[in-house]
Amino acid sequence: MRLTLATEPAYPDRPNEDFIGATPDAIVLLDGAGTPADLESGCSHGVAWYSHTLGSTLLAGVTQSADSLTTILAAGIKATASIHDFCCDLSHPGSPSATVVMLRRSTDTLDWLVLADSVLVLDVLDANPMVICDEREALTGNRYRGPMNAATGGSPEHLLALSHYMEAMRAHRNVDGGFWVAAVDPLAAEQALTGTVPVDRVRAVAVLSDGASRLVDRFGLATWRQLLDLLDHDGPAELIRQVREAERSDLNGSRWTRGKIFDDATAAYGRIT
């Protein structure tokens, strides 16, 4: 694959909780689940540390092992947990977590894995783009978003509602009937969406954190076809620039209700060669 990528934190003075890593034949993206300042996490390291540590572990695994992506993810979650289980409370419901997208090219196939709400888009031949996203978190969150959506974005009321929303969601994380993310339990890997497609059916791939995919799935300012064309012609940095422009045009969330007015945004684009 011929790869280009870009990532940008929501705010310059805050750590980027996304992770992106790639080799000529693999891409790994994680989007760390940020924790409001008034909620404890039980971890002294923080979300950015978790997503970057697990992400680098998965990138090494996906390039060095022929195991399934599910097996590699489970091993990565277990290894990362072992690094901080002696100094952090891993039983805490707010222990750091992250979404995961993994993509690996072999001689004839592309293997993929998606856990939680980051997005994989495959530009397949003679068909509409194939969009893969685990929607269980969004479906679970629908019952709690009302107060957050009703408040003015960025206001104290909105921040309080966001905190209450995230606290409520903790009860549904990594349990049957809820949603699944990478955190401390390796068994979460078994809940990931996985698949394989022949390489010769795919022109290109896009891997997006939800801070980058919101141009399409939150703002509705482009179709998936248009997003792929944008990445091909102008690259991931231009996609993020357009996302930031849209965010700045709606600072109070009146046009597009959302938990975060600005979000960490990461995109990778791979052209199959």
Side-chain angles (χ1 to χ4, degrees):
M1 290 184 287
R2 186 177 74 244
L3 293 167
T4 54
L5 56 87
T7 185
E8 183 178 290
Y11 301 95
D13 59 343
R14 298 183 189 178
N16 189 340
E17 295 175 343
D18 287 357
F19 169 90
I20 185 70
T23 72
D25 294 313
I27 305 172
V28 173
L29 179 145
L30 280 75
D31 181 353
T35 302
D38 61 333
L39 292 183
E40 295 182 355
S41 71
C43 179
S44 61
H45 299 91
V47 174
W49 174 89
Y50 178 80
S51 61
H52 295 180
T53 302
L54 177 58
S56 58
T57 300
L58 295 179
L59 186 63
V62 80
T63 55
Q64 296 173 9
S65 172
D67 288 341
S68 71
L69 298 183
T70 302
T71 298
I72 292 169
L73 176 56
I77 292 172
K78 182 177 181 180
T80 302
S82 72
I83 295 172
H84 67 140
D85 63 356
F86 63 93
C87 59
C88 301
D89 179 10
L90 300 191
S91 65
H92 194 287
S95 189
S97 63
T99 73
V100 180
V101 179
M102 301 167 67
L103 184 77
R104 177 176 62 192
R105 176 180 177 171
S106 62
T107 302
D108 300 316
T109 62
L110 285 173
D111 300 326
W112 55 263
L113 176 150
V114 176
L115 182 66
D117 62 358
S118 290
V119 181
L120 170 65
V121 186
L122 303 179
D123 188 1
V124 294
L125 297 173
D126 302 320
N128 292 326
M130 180 178 175
V131 181
I132 302 136
C133 182
D134 181 353
E135 298 181 344
R136 285 173 289 187
E137 183 174 359
L139 294 173
T140 301
N142 283 339
R143 71 189 76 170
Y144 300 114
R145 285 198 182 91
M148 185 172 61
N149 290 344
T152 300
S155 67
E157 294 79 11
H158 181 265
L159 296 176
L160 180 61
L162 173 62
S163 181
H164 288 166
Y165 169 82
M166 296 190 71
E167 187 172 22
M169 290 291 283
R170 287 178 173 182
H172 302 279
R173 191 181 77 169
N174 287 0
V175 297
D176 290 336
F179 64 96
W180 298 82
V181 292
V184 299
D185 186 356
L187 292 178
E190 298 179 5
Q191 298 294 327
L193 309 180
T194 59
T196 299
V197 293
V199 169
D200 60 10
R201 287 194 58 227
V202 182
R203 294 188 191 91
V205 300
V207 178
L208 312 163
S209 68
D210 67 347
S213 68
R214 57 173 39 183
L215 190 75
V216 177
D217 54 24
R218 174 67 62 176
F219 301 156
L221 296 176
T223 65
W224 294 113
R225 176 73 267 159
Q226 290 169 334
L227 179 142
L228 287 169
D229 291 343
L230 172 66
L231 290 171
D232 190 48
H233 297 152
D234 302 305
E238 174 60 17
L239 168 61
I240 295 175
R241 188 198 69 77
Q242 292 191 22
V243 169
R244 293 288 180 250
E245 183 178 40
E247 291 168 335
R248 287 191 295 268
S249 74
D250 184 43
L251 293 176
N252 62 7
S254 60
R255 183 177 180 185
W256 302 297
T257 57
R258 54 200 191 273
K260 299 176 183 178
I261 297 301
F262 294 92
D263 195 5
D264 299 338
T266 300
Y269 182 71
R271 184 81 177 178
I272 305 300
T273 58

